[in-house]
Each structure stands twice: as structure tokens, then as C-alpha cells.
Amino acid sequence: MVLEKKSSARVEADSRRRVLDEATRQRRLSRQLEALEKDNFQDDPLSSLPPPGPTARLPTFSETEEPEKKRRKTRGDHFKQRFRKNFTTLLEEENLSDRAEPNYLSAEALPSSLPPRLFCCVCGFPSHYTCTTCGGRYCSSKCLLTHRETRCLKWTL
């Protein structure tokens, strides 16, 4: 009588899954980021709307008083709304200026002396495990199931 070694279903399922090497994962990630950048590049569609705020109240007059004619006041807000600049225009102006101080594009920070912290891609808690297929991080078996069903090798936001 020979005893056969049983293997778990999880190990068998993992062996059937496609495993990507680190270079393939990086190429796939950069391709997804480029596609998202192309898709998201646009001006703000709500920029033509007036800013939210309290509405003007109408003045109340007694029966004997007559309302005086109001003089129209011109404010700087009108010009701020009319000649509003988007973020890319502001960046171009900042980059063209000849100031020696660091700006948005030239500011740099030193690399951290601490190792990077790794978080679960499903719930955001600290993770200790890595998906063998795509390299995504997960913290528990529940998060692993969610990752495989909804995120593994799929487009996520």
C-alpha cells in the first residue's frame, strides 16, 4: 500500500496561472500608465461654470421707501474668471521664468534612507504577500481572492 502525497488546490491553481517576470510587469505597468495619461489629458470641463458660493439676497424695503438705483460694481473677480489659466499654462510660465530657485518641475528630494513600505492593493493595510502572477501586494487570503477576481492582470483605477 503506497501513500500518495496530496497537494492543496491552491498550489495546483497557482501552478496553472501565468507568471510574469519583473521586466514584463514593469513594461505592462508603464503601458497602462501611458494609456491612462492619454485618456485623462483634457481641460477641466467645468471651468466655464461660475464658482459655487452663496447667492445674492434681494434687499427688502418698507412700503414708504423706494429702492435706490444700484451702481454696478466692477470687480477683479470678473477678470479672474475670464482670463483663468489651466495648470499646464501655469507650469509653462513657471518653467520659462529665469529664477534660480527651485520650481515645480525642478524640485527634487533626496531618496529615503528607509525601505519602502508595502501596502495591500485591495484594502490598503500593510501587506506581507505578493501575487505570483502580477506582483500585486495583498495582506490576507480574503484580499487575495478579491485581487484575483477583480484586479489581477486587469485594468484598475
Side-chain angles (χ1 to χ4, degrees):
M1 187 167 151
V2 177
L3 294 175
E4 291 183 25
K5 223 178 193 182
K6 291 184 179 181
S7 63
S8 69
R10 184 182 59 82
V11 172
E12 289 176 10
D14 281 347
S15 65
R16 284 182 267 143
R17 296 182 69 83
R18 192 172 95 197
V19 178
L20 302 178
D21 62 337
E22 190 60 34
T24 307
R25 289 177 187 163
Q26 289 299 323
R27 280 195 309 270
R28 189 176 168 278
L29 181 63
S30 63
R31 194 172 55 236
Q32 286 178 342
L33 288 174
E34 287 173 9
L36 282 174
E37 287 292 330
K38 287 179 186 175
D39 187 40
N40 289 337
F41 183 74
Q42 62 183 357
D43 286 332
D44 185 16
L46 304 177
S47 64
S48 62
L49 296 177
T55 58
R57 295 184 186 175
L58 296 174
T60 57
F61 301 101
S62 64
E63 294 175 8
T64 58
E65 290 181 348
E66 288 187 25
E68 297 177 9
K69 288 186 178 182
K70 279 192 167 183
R71 285 185 15 183
R72 190 172 192 179
K73 296 180 183 178
T74 57
R75 295 187 199 163
D77 295 344
H78 167 72
F79 295 106
K80 288 179 185 174
Q81 291 294 334
R82 188 168 176 203
F83 301 110
R84 180 184 285 176
K85 298 176 184 175
N86 61 11
F87 185 65
T88 53
T89 307
L90 292 171
L91 280 180
E92 288 173 2
E93 286 179 2
E94 181 80 17
N95 200 21
L96 293 176
S97 67
D98 293 330
R99 290 186 266 169
E101 63 217 22
N103 60 21
Y104 184 84
L105 297 174
S106 67
E108 292 182 357
L110 296 175
S112 175
S113 60
L114 302 173
R117 298 192 305 171
L118 305 171
F119 297 102
C120 178
C121 65
V122 177
C123 67
F125 287 138
S127 67
H128 302 288
Y129 311 108
T130 305
C131 176
T132 57
T133 305
C134 68
R137 306 288 301 189
Y138 62 93
C139 63
S140 64
S141 57
K142 185 177 179 182
C143 287
L144 174 63
L145 293 175
T146 305
H147 170 75
R148 283 189 180 159
E149 290 172 0
T150 60
R151 290 168 173 80
C152 192
L153 295 180
K154 295 179 177 71
W155 289 84
T156 58
L157 295 177

